């Protein structure tokens, strides 16, 4: 259950009139009764649940591990740790989806299957704070010092900082085999070398996870699709901020369903990896 404190965040629940006004025809009354039942069901259902009757065709994506990579966006303290600078707006989503543990499960499964693993990090250097214009989230990230590092060739203060990897992921990322790309600077991997690194490994299928759902993860999905990769997004290995402006996770989930080649749970992704092994 979502633990969001935002009083405006109603998870899409519908409201209905409590009763019909007198003198309404019985047929209309019957229709209203159906609507009331539907509303009650909607209130008890998760806004993130798959549609009961999907209109879009089901995925047919099957993994070929020889050309598959796990790609994780921003597995960093500022997004995923209670001491990270975004925890106040993103923590409830991270906890609801068990995101931290699910990302680790994907790392473990990928390493056990000897998959290519790539991490696409987000770093800001002092020169990035001199940008002449920014979007709303860019302004916020710069203002709170998110992902800040003293320079591209300087790791002073990196260990344990908001820009550092989550501690439980370091054994997988720092194993000498995981690709750590150059940083993306806004949201998508069109500003870093992820596609190049994957192509050089003979990869054209991607299992995509990481942070955050409607920003960097979705942007990576879009860019990878445009670059000709087949992309499966792991829906519970990501999360997003919940603000008065909207629920970022729900916004991303809708687009994942519309565009990705597959949308899997962590359990489904692990099963797909095992089935292809």
């Amino acid at each position: 259950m979502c633990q969001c404190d935002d009083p405006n965040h109603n998870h899409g629940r519908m409201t209905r009139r409590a009763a019909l006004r007198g003198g309404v025809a019985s047929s209309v009354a019957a229709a209203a009764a159906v609507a009331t039942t539907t509303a009650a069901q909607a209130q008890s259902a998760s806004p993130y649940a798959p549609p009961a009757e999907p209109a879009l065709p089901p995925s047919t994506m099957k993994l070929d591990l020889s050309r598959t990579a796990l790609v994780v966006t921003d597995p960093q303290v500022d997004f995923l740790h209670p001491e990270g600078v975004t925890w106040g707006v993103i923590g409830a989503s991270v906890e609801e989806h068990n995101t931290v543990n699910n990302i680790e499960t994907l790392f473990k499964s990928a390493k056990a299957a000897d998959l290519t693993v790539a991490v696409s990090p987000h770093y800001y250097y002092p020169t990035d704070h001199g940008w002449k214009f920014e979007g709303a989230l860019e302004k916020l990230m710069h203002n709170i010092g998110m992902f800040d590092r003293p320079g591209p060739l300087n790791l002073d203060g990196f260990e344990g900082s908001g820009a550092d990897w989550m501690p439980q992921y370091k054994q997988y990322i720092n194993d000498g085999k995981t690709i750590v790309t150059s940083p993306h600077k806004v949201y998508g991997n069109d500003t870093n070398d992820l596609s190049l690194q994957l192509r050089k490994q003979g990869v054209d299928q991607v299992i995509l996870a990481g942070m955050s759902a409607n920003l960097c993860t979705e942007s990576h999905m879009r860019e990878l699709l445009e670059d000709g990769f087949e992309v499966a997004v792991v829906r519970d290995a990501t999360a997003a901020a919940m603000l008065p402006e909207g629920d970022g996770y729900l916004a991303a989930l809708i687009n994942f369903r519309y565009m990705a080649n597959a949308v899997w749970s962590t359990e489904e992704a692990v099963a797909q990896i095992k089935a292809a092994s």
Side-chain angles (χ1 to χ4, degrees):
M1 180 176 294
C2 180
Q3 300 175 356
C4 180
D5 294 326
D6 178 8
N8 296 321
H9 182 232
N10 60 19
H11 292 267
R13 292 188 175 95
M14 298 182 290
T15 59
R16 293 288 186 270
R17 295 183 184 276
L20 295 172
R21 296 181 179 178
V24 180
S26 60
S27 60
V28 178
V34 172
T36 301
T37 300
T38 302
Q41 292 171 343
Q43 287 180 340
S44 64
S46 166
Y48 310 133
E53 298 182 4
L56 298 174
S59 170
T60 58
M61 182 172 176
K62 300 295 182 183
L63 297 179
D64 175 350
L65 299 191
S66 67
R67 55 189 182 90
T68 300
L70 171 67
V71 173
V72 182
T73 58
D74 300 351
Q76 294 164 269
V77 167
D78 269 344
F79 263 142
L80 291 166
H81 196 281
E83 294 181 5
V85 295
T86 67
W87 191 255
V89 296
I90 211 164
S93 182
V94 170
E95 290 179 339
E96 178 174 2
H97 302 295
N98 197 32
T99 306
V100 173
N101 290 335
N102 287 336
I103 291 173
E104 183 172 14
T105 296
L106 292 174
F107 273 130
K108 285 182 180 178
S109 297
K111 292 296 181 179
D114 199 27
L115 287 184
T116 298
V117 177
V119 171
S120 178
H122 205 149
Y123 300 136
Y124 285 130
Y125 308 133
T127 50
D128 299 324
H129 289 272
W131 293 353
K132 301 302 182 185
F133 59 92
E134 303 157 323
L137 265 296
E138 292 172 76
K139 290 179 184 177
L140 177 62
M141 288 190 285
H142 286 158
N143 287 342
I144 63 179
M146 190 172 181
F147 300 136
D148 273 359
R149 282 179 47 186
L153 303 179
N154 189 338
L155 287 175
D156 290 347
F158 178 76
E159 186 75 21
S161 72
D164 197 2
W165 316 125
M166 285 288 285
Q168 55 266 61
Y169 302 158
K170 290 185 178 183
Q171 61 180 308
Y172 312 108
I173 298 173
N174 297 336
D175 65 353
K177 297 180 180 179
T178 295
I179 298 164
V180 178
T181 72
S182 55
H184 56 272
K185 286 297 179 177
V186 184
Y187 307 118
N189 55 292
D190 50 328
T191 58
N192 74 5
D193 63 338
L194 175 63
S195 291
L196 171 67
Q197 295 285 356
L198 296 179
R199 294 295 190 197
K200 290 292 189 179
Q201 294 292 331
V203 166
D204 59 18
Q205 289 185 318
V206 169
I207 302 168
L208 181 63
M211 296 296 289
S212 73
N214 63 317
L215 300 174
C216 300
T217 310
E218 182 178 326
S219 292
H220 278 64
M221 176 195 72
R222 289 173 179 267
E223 180 68 16
L224 288 166
L225 290 172
E226 296 281 2
D227 278 351
F229 290 88
E230 191 176 14
V231 182
V233 180
V234 186
R235 64 178 181 269
D236 57 358
T238 185
M242 292 184 286
L243 298 169
E245 286 78 2
D247 181 345
Y249 180 81
L250 182 58
L253 184 59
I254 292 168
N255 287 332
F256 295 159
R257 290 170 178 160
Y258 273 50
M259 289 184 282
N261 300 108
V263 181
W264 294 331
S265 66
T266 298
E267 183 178 3
E268 290 168 335
V270 171
Q272 290 279 351
I273 293 171
K274 289 181 178 178
S277 295

